[in-house]
Amino acid sequence: MPRFSLTAAIAEGVTHGSIVGAFTCYNLEQLAGVVRAAESTTQSVCLLLAEGAFRSALGPALCRAMVSAAEQATVPIAIQLDHTRDLELMRRALDQGVTAVMADGSTLPYPDNVRLVTDARAIAIRYGASVEAELTHIPGDEDRAVAVATTTGTDVSRAVEFVDQTGADLLAVAIGNVHGAYATPPLLDLTRLSRLRAALHLPLTLHGTSGVPDDQVRSAIVNGIQKINVNTELRRSYLDAAHETTRDELSSANLLAIGARLSAAVEATTAVHLDRCRHRQAQHD
Ligand code: 13P
């Protein structure tokens, strides 16, 4: 398959009755698990490349592995450089084949956020790639599960203005979601989500899906979410499987067996989230 831009993967998902699951992969075992789950459920997915992972020594190799996995997959796969405000890094990732970037200026003053997304879009458009933006900051750490509290949600009229000014292709909404672990039980603001959906005409995305109860994720999808981002739960399933490494595997130094188990754990967690992605959306009015 060719690589898909994020908007094309979402459109493909809509045609086949599902939204897009986006999964952060830090290594090849995770990547293999996510791709296998996508292929066995025949659903479009997005591979998320964390900024920290891309900046690490193995980053370029990981990026190339994602691109190659997408090209060999039997389902549409987009590859997105997640949460960055470094335009040069975006350019490098796009050169290596990612098909989407998340230009996250949510901690910048409003005019600077607008400029970042506009600049990112001018770059991405040359690659046929999509740009996701974030207006109101979604708290938390993308790489570590630190318990964080939610903040105020995305303002609807501000979001309309922001999307008009930037031309963003997708918008990450703050509706009670956080990255990493939730300090208090998550409670998504579905009323705000419905209002955002009614006012905006671009795909809305839910970050921080790990730890959100199943019924809330499904309701968020019914109410307009078209991409869910999952990272922490994938890391946890990987680490739990690593913890269960047997004495036999250790004493025989059997990396293939250990790797296969780690991959299978990630595949199972991905499949749970992909099942949610099949939840039907209510008709957009
Ligand atoms: P979680 O780690 O909370 O699943 O969030 C992932 C995410 O939103 C990546 O952008």
Side-chain angles (χ1 to χ4, degrees):
M1 282 244 172
R3 287 164 292 131
F4 277 61
S5 76
L6 190 43
T7 37
I10 286 175
E12 189 71 20
V14 169
T15 310
H16 295 96
S18 76
I19 65 143
V20 166
F23 303 95
T24 313
C25 301
Y26 291 86
N27 58 35
L28 294 185
E29 284 83 8
Q30 284 191 303
L31 175 58
V34 170
V35 172
R36 256 200 322 265
E39 289 186 326
S40 58
T41 56
T42 62
Q43 278 172 258
S44 314
V45 294
C46 174
L47 303 170
L48 295 175
L49 177 59
E51 180 182 20
F54 189 45
R55 285 191 192 281
S56 75
L58 287 174
L62 178 60
C63 183
R64 277 195 291 275
M66 286 181 170
V67 169
S68 150
E71 285 169 349
Q72 287 170 44
T74 56
V75 289
I77 296 187
I79 311 120
Q80 181 177 32
L81 177 64
D82 208 6
H83 297 284
T84 183
R85 42 190 224 214
D86 183 335
L87 292 169
E88 194 39 52
L89 199 71
M90 290 181 206
R91 209 175 271 118
R92 243 191 289 152
L94 288 161
D95 274 340
Q96 290 188 25
V98 309
T99 61
V101 294
M102 167 132 202
D104 180 0
S106 61
T107 54
L108 298 173
Y110 180 82
D112 296 351
N113 192 359
V114 169
R115 193 167 319 114
L116 172 74
V117 178
T118 311
D119 290 351
R121 194 142 184 283
I123 296 168
I125 220 157
R126 287 185 237 135
Y127 296 82
S130 318
V131 176
E132 181 175 348
E134 183 171 323
L135 173 58
T136 303
H137 182 60
I138 301 161
D141 189 305
E142 277 102 46
D143 300 317
R144 295 177 314 138
V146 191
V148 278
T150 62
T151 49
T152 49
T154 307
D155 179 78
V156 178
S157 48
R158 197 68 160 156
V160 170
E161 186 189 349
F162 179 69
V163 170
D164 275 355
Q165 289 177 341
T166 58
D169 299 301
L170 305 99
L171 182 71
V173 293
I175 51 166
N177 44 324
V178 305
H179 291 107
Y182 284 77
T184 53
L187 185 61
L188 297 183
D189 183 348
L190 298 174
T191 309
R192 183 182 297 277
L193 174 59
S194 301
R195 280 203 245 112
L196 286 162
R197 186 203 188 185
L200 294 164
H201 304 284
L202 79 172
L204 303 180
T205 68
L206 182 70
H207 283 238
T209 305
S210 297
V212 180
D214 188 66
D215 59 327
Q216 290 190 43
V217 176
R218 291 179 192 268
S219 299
I221 293 169
V222 169
N223 284 283
I225 288 298
Q226 290 196 272
K227 167 178 171 259
I228 57 171
N229 279 27
V230 184
N231 181 350
T232 305
E233 280 188 26
L234 244 51
R235 300 202 309 274
R236 283 209 196 287
S237 58
Y238 177 96
L239 291 172
D240 288 349
H243 195 68
E244 283 160 17
T245 304
T246 63
R247 263 177 208 288
D248 254 12
E249 286 167 343
L250 283 175
S251 62
S252 61
N254 190 342
L255 282 188
L256 284 177
I258 296 169
R261 242 176 357 82
L262 300 177
S263 235
V266 172
E267 181 181 351
T269 304
T270 305
V272 169
H273 287 279
L274 287 178
D275 182 62
R276 296 164 156 184
C277 290
R278 283 198 181 281
H279 212 62
R280 268 191 192 294
Q281 293 234 322
Q283 203 63 39
H284 200 325
D285 34 279

mmCIF file of all heavy atoms in Angstrom, residues 24 48 82-83 102 141-142 178-182 206-211 229-233 235, ligand 1:
data_model
loop_
_atom_site.group_PDB
_atom_site.id
_atom_site.type_symbol
_atom_site.label_atom_id
_atom_site.label_comp_id
_atom_site.label_asym_id
_atom_site.label_seq_id
_atom_site.Cartn_x
_atom_site.Cartn_y
_atom_site.Cartn_z
ATOM 1 N N THR A 24 1.364 5.185 19.649
ATOM 2 C CA THR A 24 2.775 5.563 19.739
ATOM 3 C C THR A 24 3.640 4.311 19.826
ATOM 4 O O THR A 24 3.370 3.410 20.630
ATOM 5 C CB THR A 24 3.022 6.419 20.998
ATOM 6 O OG1 THR A 24 2.020 7.423 21.060
ATOM 7 C CG2 THR A 24 4.399 7.062 20.966
ATOM 8 N N LEU A 48 2.267 6.720 15.603
ATOM 9 C CA LEU A 48 2.730 7.981 16.187
ATOM 10 C C LEU A 48 4.213 7.873 16.536
ATOM 11 O O LEU A 48 4.629 6.939 17.228
ATOM 12 C CB LEU A 48 1.930 8.307 17.450
ATOM 13 C CG LEU A 48 0.435 8.591 17.266
ATOM 14 C CD1 LEU A 48 -0.242 8.766 18.621
ATOM 15 C CD2 LEU A 48 0.219 9.831 16.394
ATOM 16 N N ASP A 82 4.521 13.328 16.343
ATOM 17 C CA ASP A 82 3.568 13.806 17.346
ATOM 18 C C ASP A 82 4.137 15.012 18.117
ATOM 19 O O ASP A 82 5.364 15.105 18.308
ATOM 20 C CB ASP A 82 3.284 12.634 18.313
ATOM 21 C CG ASP A 82 1.907 12.728 18.940
ATOM 22 O OD1 ASP A 82 1.126 13.612 18.557
ATOM 23 O OD2 ASP A 82 1.610 11.895 19.829
ATOM 24 N N HIS A 83 3.267 15.885 18.576
ATOM 25 C CA HIS A 83 3.587 17.016 19.461
ATOM 26 C C HIS A 83 4.988 17.624 19.328
ATOM 27 O O HIS A 83 5.892 17.309 20.100
ATOM 28 C CB HIS A 83 3.432 16.590 20.927
ATOM 29 C CG HIS A 83 2.047 16.217 21.289
ATOM 30 N ND1 HIS A 83 1.050 17.146 21.507
ATOM 31 C CD2 HIS A 83 1.483 15.000 21.475
ATOM 32 C CE1 HIS A 83 -0.073 16.525 21.804
ATOM 33 N NE2 HIS A 83 0.146 15.214 21.791
ATOM 34 N N MET A 102 2.116 16.872 14.084
ATOM 35 C CA MET A 102 1.280 17.586 15.028
ATOM 36 C C MET A 102 2.048 18.830 15.444
ATOM 37 O O MET A 102 3.073 18.748 16.144
ATOM 38 C CB MET A 102 0.994 16.725 16.248
ATOM 39 C CG MET A 102 0.410 17.544 17.368
ATOM 40 S SD MET A 102 -0.998 16.794 18.074
ATOM 41 C CE MET A 102 -1.812 18.178 18.824
ATOM 42 N N ASP A 141 2.373 14.336 30.345
ATOM 43 C CA ASP A 141 3.655 14.050 29.705
ATOM 44 C C ASP A 141 3.429 12.950 28.679
ATOM 45 O O ASP A 141 2.811 11.938 28.991
ATOM 46 C CB ASP A 141 4.652 13.594 30.786
ATOM 47 C CG ASP A 141 6.061 13.492 30.248
ATOM 48 O OD1 ASP A 141 6.262 12.771 29.246
ATOM 49 O OD2 ASP A 141 6.973 14.130 30.814
ATOM 50 N N GLU A 142 3.931 13.166 27.474
ATOM 51 C CA GLU A 142 3.669 12.181 26.417
ATOM 52 C C GLU A 142 4.488 10.899 26.592
ATOM 53 O O GLU A 142 4.108 9.859 26.072
ATOM 54 C CB GLU A 142 3.955 12.770 25.031
ATOM 55 C CG GLU A 142 2.804 13.573 24.477
ATOM 56 C CD GLU A 142 3.032 15.068 24.611
ATOM 57 O OE1 GLU A 142 4.139 15.520 24.290
ATOM 58 O OE2 GLU A 142 2.106 15.773 25.049
ATOM 59 N N VAL A 178 -6.288 13.998 29.486
ATOM 60 C CA VAL A 178 -4.886 14.323 29.789
ATOM 61 C C VAL A 178 -3.985 13.237 29.190
ATOM 62 O O VAL A 178 -4.434 12.117 28.961
ATOM 63 C CB VAL A 178 -4.605 14.420 31.318
ATOM 64 C CG1 VAL A 178 -5.539 15.396 31.983
ATOM 65 C CG2 VAL A 178 -4.653 13.054 32.000
ATOM 66 N N HIS A 179 -2.733 13.579 28.966
ATOM 67 C CA HIS A 179 -1.754 12.571 28.552
ATOM 68 C C HIS A 179 -1.251 11.838 29.787
ATOM 69 O O HIS A 179 -1.003 12.463 30.810
ATOM 70 C CB HIS A 179 -0.549 13.226 27.869
ATOM 71 C CG HIS A 179 -0.860 13.829 26.527
ATOM 72 N ND1 HIS A 179 -0.945 15.175 26.323
ATOM 73 C CD2 HIS A 179 -1.095 13.248 25.326
ATOM 74 C CE1 HIS A 179 -1.213 15.406 25.041
ATOM 75 N NE2 HIS A 179 -1.314 14.259 24.421
ATOM 76 N N GLY A 180 -1.072 10.538 29.690
ATOM 77 C CA GLY A 180 -0.494 9.788 30.803
ATOM 78 C C GLY A 180 -1.557 9.321 31.767
ATOM 79 O O GLY A 180 -2.618 8.864 31.354
ATOM 80 N N ALA A 181 -1.287 9.466 33.067
ATOM 81 C CA ALA A 181 -2.219 8.936 34.073
ATOM 82 C C ALA A 181 -3.162 10.037 34.557
ATOM 83 O O ALA A 181 -2.782 11.216 34.605
ATOM 84 C CB ALA A 181 -1.423 8.381 35.237
ATOM 85 N N TYR A 182 -4.390 9.675 34.876
ATOM 86 C CA TYR A 182 -5.387 10.637 35.359
ATOM 87 C C TYR A 182 -5.304 10.737 36.881
ATOM 88 O O TYR A 182 -5.354 9.724 37.573
ATOM 89 C CB TYR A 182 -6.794 10.195 34.934
ATOM 90 C CG TYR A 182 -7.071 10.472 33.473
ATOM 91 C CD1 TYR A 182 -6.527 9.654 32.483
ATOM 92 C CD2 TYR A 182 -7.821 11.565 33.065
ATOM 93 C CE1 TYR A 182 -6.745 9.909 31.128
ATOM 94 C CE2 TYR A 182 -8.050 11.832 31.717
ATOM 95 C CZ TYR A 182 -7.510 10.999 30.762
ATOM 96 O OH TYR A 182 -7.725 11.264 29.430
ATOM 97 N N LEU A 206 -8.931 12.869 19.857
ATOM 98 C CA LEU A 206 -8.882 12.705 21.317
ATOM 99 C C LEU A 206 -7.507 12.197 21.716
ATOM 100 O O LEU A 206 -7.144 11.047 21.423
ATOM 101 C CB LEU A 206 -9.964 11.709 21.780
ATOM 102 C CG LEU A 206 -10.036 11.482 23.291
ATOM 103 C CD1 LEU A 206 -10.573 12.729 24.003
ATOM 104 C CD2 LEU A 206 -10.903 10.270 23.638
ATOM 105 N N HIS A 207 -6.747 13.044 22.392
ATOM 106 C CA HIS A 207 -5.449 12.625 22.939
ATOM 107 C C HIS A 207 -5.686 12.087 24.350
ATOM 108 O O HIS A 207 -6.704 12.394 24.974
ATOM 109 C CB HIS A 207 -4.484 13.810 22.978
ATOM 110 C CG HIS A 207 -3.928 14.138 21.630
ATOM 111 N ND1 HIS A 207 -2.584 14.144 21.349
ATOM 112 C CD2 HIS A 207 -4.560 14.438 20.474
ATOM 113 C CE1 HIS A 207 -2.406 14.449 20.068
ATOM 114 N NE2 HIS A 207 -3.587 14.634 19.524
ATOM 115 N N GLY A 208 -4.719 11.308 24.844
ATOM 116 C CA GLY A 208 -4.840 10.818 26.212
ATOM 117 C C GLY A 208 -5.952 9.795 26.385
ATOM 118 O O GLY A 208 -6.637 9.785 27.404
ATOM 119 N N THR A 209 -6.107 8.921 25.413
ATOM 120 C CA THR A 209 -7.197 7.933 25.500
ATOM 121 C C THR A 209 -6.903 6.853 26.545
ATOM 122 O O THR A 209 -7.840 6.261 27.100
ATOM 123 C CB THR A 209 -7.436 7.300 24.106
ATOM 124 O OG1 THR A 209 -7.671 8.364 23.182
ATOM 125 C CG2 THR A 209 -8.631 6.381 24.107
ATOM 126 N N SER A 210 -5.628 6.598 26.831
ATOM 127 C CA SER A 210 -5.309 5.584 27.849
ATOM 128 C C SER A 210 -6.002 5.912 29.156
ATOM 129 O O SER A 210 -5.930 7.052 29.627
ATOM 130 C CB SER A 210 -3.794 5.551 28.114
ATOM 131 O OG SER A 210 -3.099 5.166 26.973
ATOM 132 N N GLY A 211 -6.666 4.926 29.722
ATOM 133 C CA GLY A 211 -7.282 5.110 31.039
ATOM 134 C C GLY A 211 -8.693 5.670 30.990
ATOM 135 O O GLY A 211 -9.369 5.726 32.011
ATOM 136 N N ASN A 229 -5.823 8.842 20.249
ATOM 137 C CA ASN A 229 -4.384 8.633 20.442
ATOM 138 C C ASN A 229 -4.147 7.791 21.692
ATOM 139 O O ASN A 229 -4.680 8.110 22.767
ATOM 140 C CB ASN A 229 -3.675 9.976 20.652
ATOM 141 C CG ASN A 229 -3.397 10.683 19.355
ATOM 142 O OD1 ASN A 229 -4.103 10.476 18.371
ATOM 143 N ND2 ASN A 229 -2.378 11.524 19.342
ATOM 144 N N VAL A 230 -3.328 6.761 21.540
ATOM 145 C CA VAL A 230 -3.046 5.856 22.662
ATOM 146 C C VAL A 230 -1.541 5.657 22.782
ATOM 147 O O VAL A 230 -0.888 5.312 21.797
ATOM 148 C CB VAL A 230 -3.712 4.479 22.432
ATOM 149 C CG1 VAL A 230 -3.510 3.574 23.647
ATOM 150 C CG2 VAL A 230 -5.190 4.613 22.097
ATOM 151 N N ASN A 231 -1.023 5.868 23.972
ATOM 152 C CA ASN A 231 0.398 5.636 24.193
ATOM 153 C C ASN A 231 0.601 4.869 25.502
ATOM 154 O O ASN A 231 1.075 3.741 25.505
ATOM 155 C CB ASN A 231 1.144 6.991 24.209
ATOM 156 C CG ASN A 231 2.628 6.839 24.415
ATOM 157 O OD1 ASN A 231 3.116 5.758 24.733
ATOM 158 N ND2 ASN A 231 3.374 7.914 24.254
ATOM 159 N N THR A 232 0.203 5.481 26.629
ATOM 160 C CA THR A 232 0.510 4.899 27.945
ATOM 161 C C THR A 232 0.083 3.422 28.053
ATOM 162 O O THR A 232 0.842 2.585 28.541
ATOM 163 C CB THR A 232 -0.176 5.721 29.049
ATOM 164 O OG1 THR A 232 0.225 7.084 28.894
ATOM 165 C CG2 THR A 232 0.229 5.244 30.428
ATOM 166 N N GLU A 233 -1.110 3.103 27.595
ATOM 167 C CA GLU A 233 -1.580 1.712 27.731
ATOM 168 C C GLU A 233 -0.723 0.752 26.923
ATOM 169 O O GLU A 233 -0.521 -0.395 27.322
ATOM 170 C CB GLU A 233 -3.045 1.593 27.295
ATOM 171 C CG GLU A 233 -4.008 2.047 28.369
ATOM 172 C CD GLU A 233 -5.462 1.764 28.029
ATOM 173 O OE1 GLU A 233 -5.747 0.832 27.254
ATOM 174 O OE2 GLU A 233 -6.315 2.492 28.538
ATOM 175 N N ARG A 235 2.496 1.200 26.333
ATOM 176 C CA ARG A 235 3.761 1.038 27.080
ATOM 177 C C ARG A 235 3.552 0.096 28.257
ATOM 178 O O ARG A 235 4.390 -0.742 28.555
ATOM 179 C CB ARG A 235 4.271 2.397 27.592
ATOM 180 C CG ARG A 235 4.546 3.415 26.511
ATOM 181 C CD ARG A 235 5.533 4.492 26.988
ATOM 182 N NE ARG A 235 5.203 5.109 28.240
ATOM 183 C CZ ARG A 235 4.381 6.164 28.391
ATOM 184 N NH1 ARG A 235 3.777 6.695 27.334
ATOM 185 N NH2 ARG A 235 4.140 6.681 29.575
HETATM 186 P P1 13P B 1 -1.905 8.533 26.431
HETATM 187 O O1 13P B 1 -0.488 8.228 26.732
HETATM 188 O O2 13P B 1 -2.589 9.104 27.619
HETATM 189 O O3 13P B 1 -2.625 7.379 25.841
HETATM 190 O O4 13P B 1 -1.924 9.691 25.339
HETATM 191 C C1 13P B 1 -1.370 9.438 24.086
HETATM 192 C C2 13P B 1 -1.400 10.637 23.216
HETATM 193 O O5 13P B 1 -2.318 11.431 23.274
HETATM 194 C C3 13P B 1 -0.288 10.814 22.263
HETATM 195 O O6 13P B 1 -0.369 12.000 21.554
#
